[in-house]
């Protein structure tokens, strides 16, 4: 018996040799453009005043979950992604142009982790989810912005902020409706090649599959994605072999199909295979054992297979079509039910967001000095020319306005203590 036409899909979601589920990415946002120092000079206007324009903001780098991307392959040899810088301002109150954002497509199911500590920063689970990976530097303001009644001819402008830069680890967890789970050489690859258009490598020895294969199954007006997970070994939940890399692709599956080998050469009875596989799933992630699942005996055409398994349990032999239609029908029913149950709880958007600190914070540094944290305070110091007396006076007033002096006093700063703000260090002196 050949492939069952009613259960065969026409789409192959993943190509052999092209699947990469771990990668690193380096992102670099654009720098902000500098503001301009310019004075209006026109005939018959002896005191035209400042007219230096602002720079443009730097471009951002965004990660976007795109259903047209199925692997992290694009980052294996080319991990760097960069946005463009903002342009500088000019005289005549001409403002610089904003840098262009860079949108980086990643597969749905991509988890972003901090490169140093491995903490989860974002989970781009659904197509269309976006996450700001690197924020562009803010523009510098031109000297026209510093005109006031007491400052009629400001002689400085702000520099643009430097764009954010970071390394991240990317990890893909497949977004499949059904995951095929079993020991090596239990028939998973053969089964997915029969029920879908996927073309995995198949051979009569263990560990033929070293990467997941995805296939779309079309049955009874329902389409769903099936993942052939590389064979698990005992101890996979503890990291034996490539256990964790394989098991994480099971995490998002709505339905599990556990294949046990009915062949006498399987090495252990079917009941023991099932118990070990379920135990490994539960040790890796406890709620996996609560997922809807189908336990099915594979290689049912072998002599003696019927005596090695309960007679009421579904059996298949994918190469000759035994039980294939019944199995696909059971998959379809469980997937449809799981989709209905999950619909009310479905959420859009990024699951984990990077927290943004607010206001001004003061803490002790390793050298005993006080460190002032807070984007506004650090920006005031970073973008102004502190060798210019007028600019220095402006920055001091700006820090006071932000409450830096009060925060330092509350933290216990005394006259003569060193204070770090961004890359600038000064000696604290309490207001009299």
């Amino acid at each position: 018996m050949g492939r069952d036409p009613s259960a065969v899909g026409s789409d192959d979601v993943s190509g052999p040799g092209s699947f990469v589920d771990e990668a690193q990415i380096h992102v670099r946002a654009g720098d902000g453009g500098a503001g301009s120092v310019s004075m209006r000079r026109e005939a018959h206007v002896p005191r035209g005043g400042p007219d230096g324009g602002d720079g443009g903001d730097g471009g951002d780098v965004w990660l976007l979950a795109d259903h047209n991307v199925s692997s992290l392959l694009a980052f294996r040899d080319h991990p760097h992604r960069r946005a463009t810088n903002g342009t500088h301002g000019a005289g005549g109150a001409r403002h610089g142009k904003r840098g262009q954002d860079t949108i980086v497509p990643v597969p749905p199911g991509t988890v972003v982790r901090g490169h140093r500590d491995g903490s989860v920063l974002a989970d781009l689970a659904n197509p269309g989810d976006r996450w700001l990976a690197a924020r562009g530097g803010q523009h510098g303001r031109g000297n026209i912005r510093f005109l006031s009644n007491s400052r009629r001819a400001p002689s400085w402008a702000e520099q643009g902020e430097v764009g954010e830069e970071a390394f991240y680890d990317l990890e893909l967890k497949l977004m499949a409706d059904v995951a095929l789970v079993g020991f090596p050489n239990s028939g998973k690859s053969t089964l997915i090649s029969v029920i879908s258009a996927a073309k995995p490598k198949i051979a009569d020895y263990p560990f033929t599959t070293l990467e997941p294969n995805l296939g779309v199954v079309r049955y009874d007006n329902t389409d769903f994605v099936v993942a052939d997970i590389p064979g698990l070994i005992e101890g996979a939940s503890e990291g034996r072999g490539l256990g964790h890399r394989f098991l994480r692709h099971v995490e998002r599956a709505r339905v599990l199909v556990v294949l046990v080998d009915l062949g006498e050469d399987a090495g252990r009875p079917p009941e023991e295979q099932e118990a070990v596989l379920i135990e490994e799933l539960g040790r890796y992630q406890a709620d996996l054992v609560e997922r809807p699942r189908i336990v099915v005996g594979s290689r049912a055409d072998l002599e003696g297979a019927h005596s090695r398994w309960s007679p009421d349990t579904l059996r298949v032999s994918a190469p000759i079509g035994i039980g294939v239609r019944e199995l696909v029908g059971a998959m379809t029913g469980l997937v449809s039910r799981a989709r209905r149950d999950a619909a009310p709880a479905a959420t859009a958007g990024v699951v984990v967001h990077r927290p943004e600190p607010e206001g001004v914070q003061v803490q002790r540094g390793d050298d005993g000095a006080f460190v002032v944290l807070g984007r506004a305070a650090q920006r005031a110091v970073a973008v102004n020319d502190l060798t210019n007396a007028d600019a220095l006076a402006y920055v001091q007033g700006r820090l006071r306005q932000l409450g830096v002096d009060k925060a330092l006093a509350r933290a216990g700063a005394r006259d003569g203590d060193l204070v770090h703000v961004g890359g600038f260090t000064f000696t604290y002196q309490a207001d009299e």
Side-chain angles (χ1 to χ4, degrees):
M1 178 178 174
R3 194 182 285 186
D4 184 348
S6 68
V8 175
S10 59
D11 300 314
D12 182 5
V13 185
S14 177
S18 63
F19 186 84
V20 174
D21 58 2
E22 289 182 343
Q24 287 185 355
I25 184 174
H26 172 261
V27 293
R28 173 75 160 85
D31 297 338
S36 170
V37 177
S38 175
M39 294 294 179
R40 183 180 174 193
R41 292 291 183 263
E42 296 179 24
H44 313 298
V45 185
R47 297 180 181 177
D51 68 351
D54 300 340
D57 289 336
D60 301 325
V61 180
W62 292 84
L63 301 188
L64 171 67
D66 185 342
H67 70 276
N68 293 312
V69 182
S70 60
S71 167
L72 298 173
L73 177 66
F75 305 100
R76 186 171 62 184
D77 298 321
H78 304 285
H80 301 283
R81 300 293 185 275
R82 178 165 185 163
T84 61
N85 297 333
T87 59
H88 301 318
R94 289 173 291 177
H95 301 314
K97 184 180 178 182
R98 191 187 191 282
Q100 289 188 338
D101 292 346
T102 293
I103 307 297
V104 183
V106 296
T110 297
V111 175
V112 186
R113 294 183 179 272
H115 181 58
R116 292 186 180 276
D117 60 7
S119 60
V120 175
L121 302 176
D123 187 351
L124 306 175
N126 307 302
D129 286 353
R130 291 163 58 98
W131 182 69
L132 181 60
R135 181 188 289 105
Q138 288 187 2
H139 64 269
R141 293 177 292 175
N143 68 337
I144 195 173
R145 300 293 186 183
F146 303 103
L147 177 66
S148 68
N149 289 334
S150 60
R151 192 186 301 117
R152 305 306 300 169
S155 58
W156 85 97
E158 292 178 335
Q159 297 299 308
E161 278 188 317
V162 175
E164 292 180 341
E165 181 176 10
F167 278 96
Y168 299 116
D169 294 333
L170 303 181
E171 177 184 287
L172 176 59
K173 297 179 181 180
L174 292 180
M175 301 293 291
D177 294 291
V178 178
L180 305 181
V181 180
F183 288 110
N185 214 31
S186 59
K188 301 183 302 299
S189 297
T190 302
L191 178 60
I192 198 173
S193 72
V194 169
I195 65 177
S196 78
K199 297 291 187 291
K201 179 182 178 183
I202 300 172
D204 191 20
Y205 53 85
F207 300 107
T208 302
T209 304
L210 294 178
E211 60 188 36
N213 294 292
L214 290 180
V216 174
V217 176
R218 189 165 295 126
Y219 181 85
D220 195 21
N221 296 320
T222 300
D223 292 352
F224 56 93
V225 177
V226 178
D228 161 23
I229 307 301
L232 301 182
I233 62 174
E234 194 165 1
S237 60
E238 300 168 358
R240 285 191 62 194
L242 296 176
H244 281 103
R245 287 191 58 188
F246 293 166
L247 278 166
R248 72 160 171 260
H249 294 301
V250 184
E251 288 185 35
R252 302 185 196 271
R254 302 176 192 270
V255 175
L256 304 180
V257 173
V258 178
L259 268 72
V260 297
D261 190 345
L262 300 183
E264 293 184 354
D265 58 350
R268 63 180 85 194
E271 295 83 357
E272 185 179 338
Q273 295 177 48
E274 178 186 358
V276 171
L277 290 169
I278 298 303
E279 183 179 6
E280 292 299 331
L281 292 172
R283 284 182 175 177
Y284 177 73
Q285 185 172 306
D287 69 341
L288 287 176
V289 299
E290 306 299 327
R291 301 277 172 88
R293 70 173 179 262
I294 304 169
V295 180
V296 57
S298 66
R299 300 209 293 169
D301 57 312
L302 297 181
E303 185 176 351
H306 287 274
S307 64
R308 287 173 55 81
W309 193 243
S310 164
D312 329 342
T313 308
L314 185 60
R315 307 159 187 268
V316 298
S317 175
I320 61 175
I322 293 177
V324 171
R325 180 185 290 273
E326 292 83 356
L327 175 58
V328 173
M331 289 182 189
T332 304
L334 286 182
V335 167
S336 299
R337 193 173 308 126
R339 286 175 175 173
R340 287 196 302 270
D341 293 344
T347 57
V350 181
V351 174
V352 179
H353 295 275
R354 181 170 48 182
E356 289 292 338
E358 297 181 358
V360 172
Q361 300 89 38
V362 174
Q363 63 185 31
R364 284 278 192 174
D366 294 337
D367 59 355
F370 291 90
V371 180
V372 177
L373 303 176
R375 180 173 170 81
Q378 292 174 335
R379 170 184 162 77
V381 169
V383 300
N384 284 284
D385 178 9
L386 301 184
T387 64
N388 182 295
D390 289 340
L392 180 59
Y394 167 78
V395 171
Q396 290 172 334
R398 176 63 176 151
L399 294 178
R400 192 176 299 110
Q401 183 182 31
L402 292 170
V404 172
D405 288 354
K406 292 180 180 178
L408 286 168
R410 286 195 301 269
R414 297 182 178 181
D415 288 352
D417 287 340
L418 292 181
V419 178
H420 303 308
V421 184
F424 179 68
T425 300
F426 66 90
T427 302
Y428 176 75
Q429 184 174 357
D431 291 336
E432 297 185 5

